[in-house]
Amino acid sequence: MPTLARLIGTAGYCGRAPIAPGTVGSAAGVALLLLVRSSGSPGLEALVLGALVAGGIWAATAMERESGQTDPPSVVMDEVAGVWVTLLWLPVGWFGLVAGFLVFRFFDIVKPWPARAAERLPGGWGVMADDLVAGAYAALVVRAAAWVAPAAMLS
């Protein structure tokens, strides 16, 4: 397998973390989001999310083929993209970022319908899809919280 697929799929080798690689990948996603958000370009935020999803599908498919496993644990680009879906274009402060991260991790672990069903899609599509669904659920919760308590989410 090409080194590039491994680099992308593991989100810069975050997926090789010995403990909680999905959580480490999600944290890397938040850090990358902050970096991109500092550009002040909402369009760039969406463009990078698209690249993360496309690259994640390609890399996860390659890593599944090489390992012979479905959804190898070292693939965490799905967590990176999922947390981006949660926080995309949402103006939040540190509390809101942490809340989004935690709510995403909850939905990623619990996998409510249709996230669990999306996991069964073939190849990298299934690896990525369940986390994108989890990110959408988390986005709804975080946006509702921002609507109810905007001051808290901005702090």
Side-chain angles (χ1 to χ4, degrees), residues 37 48 67 72 78 91-92 97-98 103 140 146:
R37 196 168 273 183
V48 171
S67 69
D78 50 338
V92 291
L97 285 171
V98 171
V103 172
L140 292 172

Side-chain angles (χ1 to χ4, degrees), residues 3-25:
T3 302
L4 182 59
R6 230 178 273 115
L7 181 67
I8 293 169
T10 63
Y13 299 103
C14 290
R16 303 274 189 208
I19 299 171
T23 300
V24 173

